[in-house]
Amino acid sequence: MTHTLDNPRTEDLFARAATLLGELGAELPATGTLPARTPITGGTLTTLHSHSTDEVDAAIDRAAQAFHRWRTVPAPERAAVVRRLAELLTVHKVRLGELVTLEAGKIGAEAVGEVQEMIDICEFAIGLSRQLYGKTMPSERPGHRLMETWHPLGVIGVISAFNFPVAVWAWNTAVALVCGDTVVWKPSETTPLTALACHTLLRRAAADVGADPEVHQLIQGGSEVGARLVDDERVALLSATGSVRMGRAVAPKVAARFGRCLLELGGNNGAIVTPSADIELAARGIVFAAAGTAGQRCTTLRRLIVHDDAVGQLLQRVAGAYERLRVGNPLDDSVLVGPLIDGRAHDGMRIALERAIADGGELVCGGERVDGFGDDAYYVRPAIVRMPAQTAVVREETFAPILYVLTYQDFDAAIELHNAVPQGLSSAIFTGDQREAERFLAADGSDCGIANVNIGTSGAEIGGAFGGEKHTGGGRESGSDSWKAYMRRATNTVNYSDQLPLAQGIEFG
Ligand code: NAD
């Protein structure tokens, strides 16, 4: 690379992206109307083809045709594609990670971690291919057997967000493929190059093991391209990851055609810190959860609810660590906080901080823009704001690194405050008191899909089901029994007797 890390140039970053894509086996298609930007400089790397309505229809059609063949391939054999994908991802982990950095602005360690998460879910899905278990229940009728079987569902439409441009696709695709489904993917219009790379690797994996490459289709473009998946009856499940606004637009449309929706929407994640907490450990967990990925994770810690007796000590440590965070080019290994994705994200942060201060908030540190990367690149210092109350701006998700700090005296009030937001994705408690920890995890504790003890809100493992409640949408992806969303269940009753007894003891004629 000819550019320096302190003075990155868009043309050099494009040359690097083109090299990486070539090494990943992907060809840069003819230019089109869809810009591929880099948040590192804010410049446009290249432009790509945006799919037309007819092309999207044709892609759904190919996926529907492929489904008719794929659903009868034995599940362990379907897993061969996923196994090969995992091998390719392992070989190309660092390359794909660097592409994620170039396009989404994540620091190297987090970008490679995201690719590792893809490999992890592939391994999970391979094992799952031999565990798509149904239940057998005792029948109330003599000479009868009652059981459930799970069958492939159909075409899965995957709409994904910019901030996890590759892992969320893998969560859906690895599981959907072993479940016997085919996939049509509409990635974020902000990250089309990483999407192209993933699609190429998956197609190659299919070809290498002699499977039908048509099981995966990529459609690129903006929300209008995604809207075709939403409206199409051939799409059995729409798995949509993004903002609450997007979920509000798509969910009623899918429901109107009786399709299934799996929604992974915005979060507004909180952590409670009690007086018995290990303050050093809590501070470390809080800094990663709140400032990591420049506050652009769905699970980013946005609200800190601290006991009055602990707030001074804790804030001193967290603010001290914030001052030491290096903000800058995410290609530089010493940097911990990369850029915001674009100017809109920066506007959102600026306006939220203004509102918080108008509400009586006190800026503890951060919030300012870091210059030196060009007018179109948006780097900020992560902000901490002490709030007198959980006002409207605190109850909203601002997709930027702002940590609001609230205090409490009574533990029940802290839980009430924690739950008093519309979103319900991730949550945490830092405490040394087992009763408080258990209470946080109990039915009247955190109301989120993820509730952690003595670790932050972000950085989930793939083994558990991932997702959240309330405005986060209620979906579950990734591990545990999330696979059930990608299959249809049939209840079967088999009569192996020569009688025809009816259920509930009904006599009919
Ligand atoms: P976004 O809602 O702007 O876009 C997400 C995707 O939805 C994009 O592919 C976009 O083109 C598509 N889209 C938007 N409107 C649509 C419509 N009407 N019809 C069809 N498709 C449409 O979100 P973003 O800015 O890319 O990502 C950030 C948001 O995503 C945050 O709110 C974050 O919390 C959320 N997120 C949630 C999870 C989760 O698992 N819960 C994971 C990652 C991101």
Side-chain angles (χ1 to χ4, degrees):
M1 260 193 286
T2 52
H3 69 274
T4 65
L5 290 172
D6 291 335
N7 182 25
R9 292 187 316 167
T10 303
E11 53 270 41
D12 297 326
L13 298 178
F14 174 58
R16 184 68 190 144
T19 303
L20 288 167
L21 280 168
E23 288 170 359
L24 286 159
E27 271 177 42
L28 264 181
T31 56
T33 55
L34 180 66
R37 281 179 69 256
T38 175
I40 296 175
T41 60
T44 299
L45 297 169
T46 184
T47 58
L48 274 76
H49 177 64
S50 180
H51 285 82
S52 69
T53 305
D54 285 350
E55 286 169 328
V56 174
D57 283 349
I60 298 173
D61 200 50
R62 286 194 297 277
Q65 299 293 334
F67 172 68
H68 285 284
R69 303 182 291 271
W70 188 240
R71 64 183 167 179
T72 57
V73 175
E77 199 180 317
R78 297 193 292 248
V81 176
V82 179
R83 187 178 298 109
R84 182 67 189 132
L85 176 65
E87 287 167 3
L88 292 173
L89 287 169
T90 305
V91 170
H92 293 294
K93 187 157 117 177
V94 175
R95 288 187 192 95
L96 186 57
E98 193 177 337
L99 203 56
V100 169
T101 298
L102 287 169
E103 224 183 9
K106 276 189 192 190
I107 61 167
E110 291 189 54
V112 170
E114 189 177 341
V115 183
Q116 181 58 48
E117 198 172 347
M118 303 172 81
I119 299 166
D120 293 346
I121 195 68
C122 286
E123 286 176 358
F124 182 90
I126 295 162
L128 183 64
S129 71
R130 292 184 185 270
Q131 299 175 73
L132 300 170
Y133 301 136
K135 286 181 176 156
T136 303
M137 305 82 163
S139 169
E140 66 188 48
R141 288 170 279 186
H144 283 58
R145 186 155 71 89
L146 188 59
M147 61 183 179
E148 285 178 351
T149 42
W150 290 89
H151 299 295
L153 186 63
V155 176
I156 312 297
V158 177
I159 293 179
S160 56
F162 83 84
N163 65 322
F164 273 92
V166 294
V168 167
W169 166 73
W171 287 2
N172 281 282
T173 302
V175 172
L177 288 180
V178 300
C179 288
D181 303 320
T182 56
V183 172
V184 182
W185 181 25
K186 208 300 278 176
S188 167
E189 54 272 49
T190 314
T191 52
L193 295 179
T194 46
L196 188 63
C198 292
H199 177 65
T200 304
L201 291 177
L202 192 282
R203 285 288 187 115
R204 179 166 159 211
D208 285 356
V209 300
D212 182 358
E214 299 298 335
V215 295
H216 191 262
Q217 306 289 330
L218 173 66
I219 52 173
Q220 300 257 36
S223 57
E224 70 293 346
V225 172
R228 303 294 303 177
L229 284 181
V230 174
D231 292 332
D232 199 304
E233 293 262 356
R234 292 167 295 180
V235 176
L237 169 71
L238 182 80
S239 174
T241 300
S243 57
V244 172
R245 181 171 36 84
M246 179 274 286
R248 241 188 247 292
V250 307
K253 291 186 180 160
V254 178
R257 62 173 176 83
F258 298 105
R260 283 198 208 171
C261 236
L262 193 171
L263 297 175
E264 297 284 354
L265 309 177
N268 190 358
N269 316 294
I272 296 176
V273 183
T274 76
S276 61
D278 175 338
I279 294 291
E280 195 57 50
L281 180 142
R284 291 215 315 272
I286 288 163
V287 173
F288 174 70
T293 330
Q296 299 169 112
R297 284 190 186 216
C298 50
T299 50
T300 288
L301 177 62
R302 306 194 184 282
R303 299 176 300 126
L304 195 56
I305 301 166
V306 194
H307 192 274
D308 272 332
D309 293 347
V311 72
Q313 248 191 343
L314 182 72
L315 263 189
Q316 195 188 10
R317 280 186 171 73
V318 175
Y322 265 49
E323 301 291 344
R324 293 190 297 275
L325 285 174
R326 246 197 102 194
V327 179
N329 184 347
L331 291 166
D332 179 343
D333 287 342
S334 68
V335 161
L336 289 177
V337 179
L340 293 178
I341 192 71
D342 55 23
R344 214 168 47 130
H346 181 246
D347 286 345
M349 178 168 180
R350 201 175 36 76
I351 291 166
L353 285 174
E354 282 168 13
R355 287 174 62 196
I357 285 159
D359 287 346
E362 177 204 330
L363 186 66
V364 177
C365 65
E368 63 274 27
R369 190 166 168 192
V370 176
D371 295 324
F373 295 90
D375 290 348
D376 299 325
Y378 297 89
Y379 293 76
V380 289
R381 293 211 62 83
I384 301 176
V385 189
R386 263 192 93 154
M387 294 300 293
Q390 187 156 263
T391 59
V393 69
V394 182
R395 294 196 300 274
E396 292 166 18
E397 180 198 50
T398 299
F399 216 54
I402 303 177
L403 179 63
Y404 298 111
V405 181
L406 300 148
T407 52
Y408 79 91
Q409 284 180 321
D410 169 63
F411 187 65
D412 284 339
I415 291 188
E416 206 174 303
L417 192 63
H418 174 272
N419 291 344
V421 293
Q423 312 81 354
L425 181 52
S426 188
S427 61
I429 187 167
F430 289 92
T431 181
D433 181 334
Q434 193 183 357
R435 281 172 301 188
E436 287 174 343
E438 292 292 343
R439 174 68 208 293
F440 187 71
L441 304 183
D444 57 352
S446 161
D447 62 0
C448 292
I450 299 168
N452 296 334
V453 177
N454 290 330
I455 60 164
T457 50
S458 64
E461 298 178 22
I462 60 97
F466 182 94
E469 303 301 331
K470 302 193 290 185
H471 290 196
T472 303
R476 290 297 184 279
E477 284 182 347
S478 191
S480 186
D481 64 352
S482 307
W483 60 271
K484 290 179 176 170
Y486 300 80
M487 300 198 85
R488 66 180 174 85
R489 180 197 326 232
T491 301
N492 315 125
T493 310
V494 179
N495 178 4
Y496 57 90
S497 74
D498 54 6
Q499 303 295 308
L500 196 64
L502 300 179
Q504 295 87 44
I506 292 172
E507 295 288 342
F508 191 72

